[in-house]
Amino acid sequence: MNPYAKKDLKSFLSAIPQDEIDFQMDKQHKEANKFHYKFVRLHKRGKCALCNHSESSVIDSQPCLHWLLLPDGIKKSQLVRYLNGEVSLLRLESYLRWIANTENFISNINDLDMDKQNEAIINVTIRYKNLEWSLYMSQSDYDGHDDKRSGTSPHYHIQILRDNMPYLDFSQSHVKLSDEDLFNIELEKQNTGLFKIDHTTYGEGFSELEKFDDSTVKYLDAILKTTDNPSEATINRTTIIQTSIDNPITDEMIREAILTNKETHEPIGRILERMAGLGSQTNTILSLPDERLQIKTRKKRK
């Protein structure tokens, strides 16, 4: 049972002045931006921004989240011992999301509500290169299993695949939720609509497409690039442009847009939209790719 469940966290949150909340949010956002820049820069060099060691290092006395990348020499027993030592779910998930998005933005993370198991509180699958991690927590995991020898404390499960083959199964890990996890999860439960745990600072997944608000669409559309391999597509982008008879889109404009796309990978529809200029009307539709990463869930024990 979460010890914070008995505390009035709704009153706790409402007692904090809005200007203080805004200040702290802005501060955290700036810190995240700064650290993410360092994170990506070091990751490109094969170095971990968390421990400042090589991502290929396995130092038993200094366990680190980069062990989840399964560096050569890591033993499963080492990783399980580290995970079962109460690794924060929020921090672990953020780390994996950041790693995944350095390779393919959004498409490496399936956190869609429509794909989740109904009873799951947490159900997300994340991919990076030949590795795939799935995080799962049901209500009974969150409450703790009273009738089991393991998992009596609030916990979550993790599954790891390497080259599509099992490395660590859900049943092999009962990772205790940290105090930070317990506080934030309960804070969200008691303050529906006022506080939400999200990963929208460089950890975006497919769930961004479920929001369908103008700001999200504009943000995603502005950073989209085309790919020569449809299976790697993050998002399907459809553009409908209506122009006047006096200012139509010509064959020459289309040829120029295709050439520009080959050089820059900017979507052809966006290029044509810019060429059409004033007097044209544009409707851009973003949708999920036909083939996408599937969420893995933990099966119930009979």
Side-chain angles (χ1 to χ4, degrees), residues 155-253:
H155 63 278
Y156 63 98
H157 298 270
I158 180 171
Q159 174 179 276
I160 303 175
L161 304 183
R162 180 166 58 185
D163 296 322
N164 294 318
M165 298 296 292
Y167 176 85
L168 184 68
D169 189 74
F170 282 122
S171 62
Q172 294 176 295
S173 62
H174 289 74
V175 188
K176 289 177 62 178
L177 292 170
S178 68
D179 187 73
E180 177 187 15
D181 293 331
L182 293 170
F183 177 80
N184 281 288
I185 291 173
E186 188 59 34
L187 188 63
E188 181 180 61
K189 286 169 68 74
Q190 292 188 30
N191 291 277
T192 303
L194 299 176
F195 176 82
K196 181 174 177 56
I197 300 170
D198 64 34
H199 299 274
T200 54
T201 305
Y202 307 110
E204 294 91 340
F206 275 136
S207 64
E208 286 299 295
L209 298 182
E210 292 181 309
K211 294 180 179 178
F212 293 115
D213 57 83
D214 290 341
S215 61
T216 299
V217 171
K218 288 180 180 178
Y219 165 67
L220 293 175
D221 187 45
I223 62 175
L224 283 179
K225 298 290 184 180
T226 59
T227 176
D228 297 326
N229 185 353
S231 65
E232 296 177 354
T234 298
I235 297 169
N236 289 333
R237 184 186 195 273
T238 303
T239 303
I240 302 172
I241 304 175
Q242 293 180 326
T243 60
S244 64
I245 297 177
D246 298 331
N247 188 31
I249 292 177
T250 64
D251 292 343
E252 180 60 31
M253 292 168 68

Side-chain angles (χ1 to χ4, degrees), residues 131-148:
L131 297 173
E132 181 184 289
W133 306 272
S134 296
L135 305 175
Y136 179 86
M137 182 175 69
S138 67
Q139 184 62 51
S140 62
D141 294 328
Y142 179 68
D143 294 335
H145 309 309
D146 293 334
D147 57 341
K148 303 287 180 63

Side-chain angles (χ1 to χ4, degrees), residues 18-35 201-202:
Q18 187 60 47
D19 58 346
E20 177 63 21
I21 293 176
D22 294 340
F23 173 78
Q24 293 298 331
M25 293 281 287
D26 182 63
K27 179 182 177 182
Q28 290 178 16
H29 185 68
K30 289 178 179 177
E31 290 175 349
N33 285 338
K34 183 178 179 179
F35 185 71
T201 305
Y202 307 110

Side-chain angles (χ1 to χ4, degrees), residues 241 249-250 253-254 257 267-277:
I241 304 175
I249 292 177
T250 64
M253 292 168 68
I254 294 174
I268 292 175
R270 190 193 302 155
I271 299 170
L272 288 173
E273 178 185 351
R274 189 166 59 247
M275 287 180 170

Side-chain angles (χ1 to χ4, degrees), residues 58-116:
V58 182
I59 304 173
D60 197 49
S61 61
Q62 298 181 48
C64 181
L65 286 172
H66 81 257
W67 283 13
L68 290 163
L69 300 178
L70 305 187
D72 290 341
I74 186 75
K75 297 178 181 178
K76 185 188 295 187
S77 58
Q78 282 179 301
L79 182 58
V80 171
R81 184 169 65 251
Y82 169 54
L83 291 172
N84 289 339
E86 201 171 315
V87 176
S88 166
L89 168 62
L90 301 180
R91 294 181 183 274
L92 181 147
E93 185 177 349
S94 292
Y95 173 80
L96 294 179
R97 283 172 175 266
W98 279 21
I99 284 289
N101 275 341
T102 63
E103 183 182 36
N104 291 312
F105 183 65
I106 286 185
S107 62
N108 273 0
I109 304 169
N110 190 344
D111 52 359
L112 288 165
D113 287 336
M114 61 186 286
D115 286 353
K116 292 178 181 178

